[in-house]
Amino acid sequence: MGADGEKSRQLLLEISAMQFAIHGFHKTKISEIVKEANVTQPTFYLYFKNKEAVFQELVDMFKEKLYHHVAQSKLPADIAEEGLKGRIAYGLCAVFELFQQHEEVARIGFVISEEAANIKEQMTAQIESNLKEEAELGYFHTNINFGVVAAAMVGAIEYLAITKLWTGTHKPEELAEEITNLFLFGLKNNYSIEIS
C-alpha cells in the first residue's frame, strides 16, 4: 500500500471512529463514513472487509495502547518516597491523555463495544498485578484487597473520563492528581482528633 493508500485507510479509521462514537455500531453506516471521507464504497472495501472489521480494528488499537500504558504505569523498584506520588500521577495521566487524544476510539473500546467489560476486566487484572508487585517492593501495605482497589480505580477512570475529561471540565493531569491523592492518602484528615 502506497502513501496515498495509507492516508485513505487512516482517514477511514478516523472517520469511522467518530461515526461509531456518535451513532454507535448499529446506526453507523458505511455510506456515511465514505461520504465524509470523500472516497467511494469500493475504496472502503479495499481496506476493510465490512463494518465489523473496521470497528474491531479500532477496538484492538485501543486495547493495545491502553494495556501498554497500564503495564508501563507499574512502579519501578527504585523510587524515593518523595517521588512516589508524582510517579503514580504520571502513570494515571498517561491513561487519561490516551482517553483525551483518542476520545472516539476510547469511547468505542471502553464504553460502546461488546468487549468493553472484558477490556476493563483485563485492565483491572493488570492494575491488581501491578499493585501486588508494588506492595512487595514496600510501596503499599498488604492488608487490603488489591482486586477491589484495582476495580475502584478502573471505575473511577471510566466515570471521570466520561463526566470530566470528555466534557472538558478537567485536564488529564488534574484528574490523575486527584485520583492519586485519593488512593494514596485517602479521605481521612491525618490531623483530626478522634472523638469516641
Side-chain angles (χ1 to χ4, degrees), residues 42-138:
T43 300
F44 178 91
Y45 289 111
L46 180 65
Y47 302 115
F48 306 103
K49 181 179 178 181
N50 51 33
K51 182 169 76 168
E52 290 81 3
V54 70
F55 186 83
Q56 189 59 50
E57 184 167 332
L58 291 166
V59 171
D60 291 344
M61 285 171 38
F62 173 72
K63 282 193 308 191
E64 183 181 324
K65 290 177 182 177
L66 178 64
Y67 296 159
H68 171 77
H69 284 300
V70 173
Q72 293 296 309
S73 71
K74 186 173 76 174
L75 301 173
D78 58 352
I79 297 177
E81 178 72 28
E82 59 274 2
L84 185 61
K85 177 185 169 190
R87 179 60 176 81
I88 294 169
Y90 175 81
L92 282 166
C93 188
V95 171
F96 280 118
E97 285 174 346
L98 171 68
F99 277 60
Q100 183 180 52
Q101 292 166 1
H102 305 281
E103 179 180 340
E104 290 87 6
V105 178
R107 282 185 186 274
I108 291 166
F110 215 64
V111 181
I112 296 172
S113 77
E114 291 179 6
E115 287 185 62
N118 185 43
I119 290 169
K120 288 178 261 198
E121 284 175 18
Q122 289 183 19
M123 181 181 182
T124 300
Q126 180 63 57
I127 292 172
E128 179 181 6
S129 174
N130 289 356
L131 290 168
K132 286 178 177 177
E133 289 182 39
E134 293 159 353
E136 288 175 14
L137 292 172

